[in-house]
Amino acid sequence: MTALDTVTTEHAAWLPAEALAPIGALRVLVLGSELRADTVRADALAATTRWGGQLLDDLALGADVVLALAADLAGGTEAHHPAVAAALATGRDPLGPEGFAVARVDGVTAVVAGGGSGLLYGWFHLVRTPTALRGSNAPAERHEPAHALRMLDHWDNVSVHPVMGQVERGYAGASLFFCDGKVRGDLSRVARYARLLAAAGVNRVSINNVNVGPDAARLLTADLDDVRRLADVFRPWGIRLHLSVTFAAPISLGGLPTADPLMPEVAQWWATATAAVYAAISDFGGYVVKADSEGQPGPFAYGRNHADGANLLARALAPFGGIVHWRAFVYNHRQDWRDRSTDRARAAFDHFAPLNGQFDENVVLQVKYGPIDFQPREPVSPVIAAMSATRLAVEFQVTQEYTGQQRHVCYLAPLWSEVLGFRPWGQTGSTVSEAADGGVVAVSNVGDDAFWTGHPLAQANLYAFGRLAWAPSSSPTALLDEWIGLTLPQASAGVRRALHSLMDGSWRTYESYTAPLGVGFMVSSTRHHYGPGVDSYEYTPWGTYHFADRDGVGVDRTRATGTGFAGQYPQPWRDVYESLETCPDELVLFFHHVPYGHVLNSGSTVIQHIYDTHFAGVERTDEMLREWAELEGGVPGDLFARVAELLVEQDRSAREWRDQINTYFFRKSGVPDAQGRRIF
């Protein structure tokens, strides 16, 4: 039996009772008659009961902390204390429904919120920033989310899939939502999950896999009452529920002979089915659709385009305020590897850019951040810059399909921060975050594992995603410290520093010992993308090639001599990526096929860079093992054991990556390592 098998107590993640000790020791008043205000009141009662504070029902009793809905202060309650008045007076515009203001005056900290969800977020703001609860006066601060939609997609199957399991690309056990082919009877853990998500800032959840199986399809109709039970659990935490649906539902569920989006009977079927959903779940969020992608049905079967398909569902949702997330992950997965003119990276742009402006207002085009598939290093997708007249959401992957599958430490917030801050139109243009007017979405990494995410340290990715979706300009380093402080509130400063050191550079460490210089996808096809498989996909129909030969490596995606993918970008990037002189080193093999002796901007040759980074990556995983061993006794024993065991696996896997990659390229190129290190 290993540490992976022995943990039976559910881990509290970033909301252990001790994290609420500072606010729980105070006198807290919650004002407001609304569902989320009741949630805050119940959370405050639990904290104050545990830590010796008091939940008050009257400001006159001398509160230390006041949380109030702005709408409930119209009667002059703010006059009872200047802190409330200061929080209420921030800005000319009223607070949005998720916004809040916080101020501290004369020993009282006040949060005033624009709605119930804002009150909830204000409460968790105080939990993670206990300095706001003490000290001298502090000027009022206003907090509003940058993105109105901050969503997690779960790729959970209702029944266990014979190949993909219960959670597709899941590495943390079975589904939180489904068991034995139906929604779980006991949803108490789902409620605790919803609380964790609310504390991170997530406000939408899609509960089932985008590859919709027959039993999952019935969630839309026959099993709708079970979906309603899940929605009831998420609602008190400010989270709206969405469903992934199959485009063929009118056939598989409705008995129609067609799912043609332009046929009136198909539109009527969707309208009727959607009305039934809203009759059961009045705040239902909408649909997520994967269509004409990797074998999923879609409008192409009827000679229609993606706008036709998306608008069909959008019009069924529109009367109720719902939205459809239409995924842009569309490409030819039966490509002939001999054909170098077909480029998977081009596919999403080629399909969707001509349709810009043709989607209804309540369609959100959901675009993966890169043009391939959640690789450790990709350029930002050019689709993001191409859809100026279409609502767009950027999609990330919190689950670590291509970044170590929650067996490797790989803190991904720096990657997401780079993407959100990237400026597709140059330094004077908007960022990706600003262009994503449909929000930010990510594939969840959660299952029924006691630590929620399999690898305990992978919790940081889930937390950081929510916080970045709320405030994209947040420092990933600061968010890491925030997560460590909440998760291990009793740890010493030395333990916190050591954990920060272990995690902070882990994305670049992972990148260093896997596929080099942006070429991507050198993963094993037989182990579901875990571990090295340099040529696993090289002669397959999936379109993920590196074209290594005896002379060089990389994919020519230039306009001049290659697939033309670089030309899908606006200026300045189309020219930056076109030129070997200006293309960033970390993407050079994504855009160019170069000789092994090509000298990078760093001064190293391509082949020596490959050798150096892979040796350095293993040196770092060795260090991570030693750093963690020194924390024994400084972190809880079950957490220490689980992470220690996984770090051993990470170190072993990194060595396998190093040896296979270095050996492969040594044998291809015949160029020895300049430092004479052992290559097999």
Side-chain angles (χ1 to χ4, degrees):
M1 183 173 289
T2 71
L4 300 180
D5 307 311
T6 55
V7 179
T8 57
T9 303
E10 179 186 307
H11 189 253
W14 51 86
L15 286 178
E18 293 78 9
L20 281 78
I23 198 168
L26 303 175
R27 293 165 297 176
V28 180
L29 174 65
V30 181
L31 297 171
S33 53
E34 195 267 358
L35 176 63
R36 263 72 67 172
D38 292 341
T39 301
V40 173
R41 194 173 287 110
D43 221 44
L45 177 60
T48 53
T49 301
R50 172 71 180 264
W51 298 107
Q54 186 178 4
L55 181 65
L56 306 177
D57 56 12
D58 191 324
L59 186 60
L61 296 176
D64 302 305
V65 180
V66 180
L67 299 105
L69 293 173
D72 288 349
L73 296 176
T77 308
E78 69 274 15
H80 291 288
H81 198 281
V84 179
L88 190 64
T90 54
R92 296 180 181 178
D93 298 328
L95 289 160
E98 295 187 310
F100 64 91
V102 59
R104 182 166 176 81
V105 179
D106 297 341
V108 174
T109 300
V111 169
V112 174
S117 291
L119 201 68
L120 190 64
Y121 297 132
W123 165 252
F124 286 121
H125 171 81
L126 296 182
V127 169
R128 65 176 172 265
T129 53
T131 53
L133 302 171
R134 59 181 183 265
S136 57
N137 293 358
E141 295 179 352
R142 186 181 177 110
H143 298 264
E144 298 268 9
H147 295 285
L149 191 146
R150 308 173 301 280
M151 183 167 171
L152 281 172
D153 285 354
H154 285 259
W155 286 357
D156 294 28
N157 296 311
V158 175
S159 299
V160 177
H161 188 277
V163 177
M164 292 300 181
Q166 173 122 58
V167 182
E168 184 166 338
R169 309 308 181 190
Y171 313 104
S175 172
L176 288 178
F177 309 136
F178 307 112
C179 185
D180 297 328
K182 59 185 179 182
V183 174
R184 291 180 181 270
D186 180 3
L187 297 179
S188 57
R189 190 167 187 191
V190 176
R192 294 190 292 277
Y193 176 53
R195 179 172 178 254
L196 289 171
L197 295 188
V202 172
N203 68 352
R204 306 272 182 140
V205 164
S206 179
I207 61 170
N208 63 302
N209 193 358
V210 292
N211 296 315
V212 182
D215 47 3
R218 292 192 295 272
L219 295 171
L220 181 63
T221 53
D223 296 336
L224 184 56
D225 191 58
D226 280 337
V227 179
R228 177 195 56 76
R229 290 196 300 115
L230 280 165
D232 289 347
V233 172
F234 280 111
R235 186 176 299 110
W237 299 99
I239 298 170
R240 295 175 67 176
L241 185 143
H242 295 239
L243 278 178
S244 293
V245 297
T246 173
F247 191 79
I251 299 172
S252 61
L253 299 175
L256 296 182
T258 180
D260 186 340
L262 300 190
M263 297 298 288
E265 60 268 34
V266 173
Q268 183 57 55
W269 186 89
W270 279 109
T272 301
T274 302
V277 173
Y278 279 93
I281 309 167
S282 60
D283 61 348
F284 179 69
Y287 301 137
V288 179
V289 183
K290 178 180 180 180
D292 288 313
S293 173
E294 299 182 328
Q296 292 298 307
F300 286 178
Y302 308 98
R304 315 303 186 191
N305 62 37
H306 285 286
D308 296 327
N311 291 342
L312 165 73
L313 275 67
R315 289 162 192 172
L317 290 160
F320 309 99
I323 57 179
V324 56
H325 282 78
W326 193 269
R327 298 182 81 234
F329 184 54
V330 178
Y331 67 98
N332 177 11
H333 71 291
R334 294 185 174 90
Q335 182 177 334
D336 184 348
W337 61 267
R338 302 166 187 83
D339 174 16
R340 292 206 182 190
S341 65
T342 302
D343 184 1
R344 173 170 166 173
R346 290 187 57 103
F349 184 100
D350 288 342
H351 281 294
F352 288 95
L355 302 177
N356 185 34
Q358 298 181 33
F359 293 92
D360 285 5
E361 178 62 26
N362 62 325
V363 174
V364 174
L365 188 65
Q366 187 166 309
V367 181
K368 290 189 178 185
Y369 70 84
I372 299 293
D373 192 9
F374 299 132
Q375 296 302 291
R377 176 72 66 177
E378 294 185 55
V380 168
S381 171
V383 178
I384 295 168
M387 307 303 292
S388 58
T390 302
R391 289 183 69 190
L392 183 142
V394 177
E395 182 180 7
F396 297 108
Q397 196 177 42
V398 182
T399 194
Q400 292 174 232
E401 178 181 358
Y402 297 103
T403 52
Q405 299 193 356
Q406 280 132 260
R407 285 178 264 185
H408 295 221
V409 179
C410 189
Y411 179 54
L412 292 168
L415 164 61
W416 303 332
S417 178
E418 279 191 16
V419 171
L420 291 169
F422 181 78
R423 297 182 183 273
W425 297 274
Q427 289 307 306
T428 60
S430 300
T431 64
V432 166
S433 177
E434 291 162 346
D437 54 352
V440 185
V441 182
V443 184
S444 176
N445 65 346
V446 166
D448 69 351
D449 173 75
F451 282 103
W452 300 93
T453 57
H455 200 309
L457 305 188
Q459 291 177 9
N461 286 329
L462 184 61
Y463 180 80
F465 166 74
R467 296 286 289 122
L468 280 171
W470 176 285
S473 61
S474 298
S475 159
T477 297
L479 292 179
L480 178 58
D481 287 335
E482 192 173 280
W483 173 79
I484 292 170
L486 286 169
T487 305
L488 297 168
Q490 296 177 307
S492 69
V495 167
R496 295 187 189 195
R497 285 194 300 270
L499 185 53
H500 179 105
S501 172
L502 187 146
M503 296 180 68
D504 192 25
S506 55
W507 161 50
R508 293 187 182 277
T509 296
Y510 185 86
E511 181 184 13
S512 72
Y513 60 73
T514 54
L517 297 168
V519 74
F521 238 97
M522 291 180 171
V523 291
S524 172
S525 59
T526 59
R527 288 177 289 170
H528 299 278
H529 301 159
Y530 184 73
V534 186
D535 278 341
S536 278
Y537 283 91
E538 193 64 13
Y539 307 103
T540 71
W542 293 97
T544 50
Y545 313 129
H546 55 71
F547 298 130
D549 55 31
R550 67 179 184 177
D551 299 316
V553 61
V555 185
D556 185 353
R557 292 188 164 107
T558 64
R559 304 191 303 277
T561 58
T563 69
F565 170 73
Q568 292 184 339
Y569 289 88
Q571 291 289 15
W573 296 106
R574 61 189 290 123
D575 287 346
V576 169
Y577 294 144
E578 179 79 9
S579 168
L580 261 177
E581 284 67 40
T582 55
C583 184
D585 283 354
E586 62 269 21
L587 292 172
V588 71
L589 298 188
F590 191 95
F591 284 99
H592 299 273
H593 186 88
V594 299
Y596 293 112
H598 171 74
V599 179
L600 300 167
N601 294 319
S602 67
S604 175
T605 62
V606 166
I607 190 66
Q608 193 60 44
H609 173 92
I610 291 172
Y611 297 154
D612 288 347
T613 54
H614 285 77
F615 280 111
V618 173
E619 289 172 6
R620 178 60 188 137
T621 60
D622 289 345
E623 291 172 355
M624 291 163 68
L625 266 174
R626 293 192 294 270
E627 289 171 2
W628 185 254
E630 293 174 0
L631 298 185
E632 187 169 12
V635 298
D638 57 348
L639 185 147
F640 177 83
R642 173 73 69 90
V643 174
E645 184 168 325
L646 289 167
L647 282 171
V648 170
E649 165 56 20
Q650 181 171 1
D651 195 48
R652 182 210 64 79
S653 180
R655 290 175 187 278
E656 191 66 25
W657 271 103
R658 177 198 66 189
D659 292 342
Q660 287 200 29
I661 294 283
N662 283 351
T663 298
Y664 179 90
F665 283 106
F666 172 63
R667 292 178 179 179
K668 282 282 185 183
S669 70
V671 178
D673 173 34
Q675 297 188 41
R677 292 165 292 197
R678 186 181 184 189
I679 297 177
F680 297 89

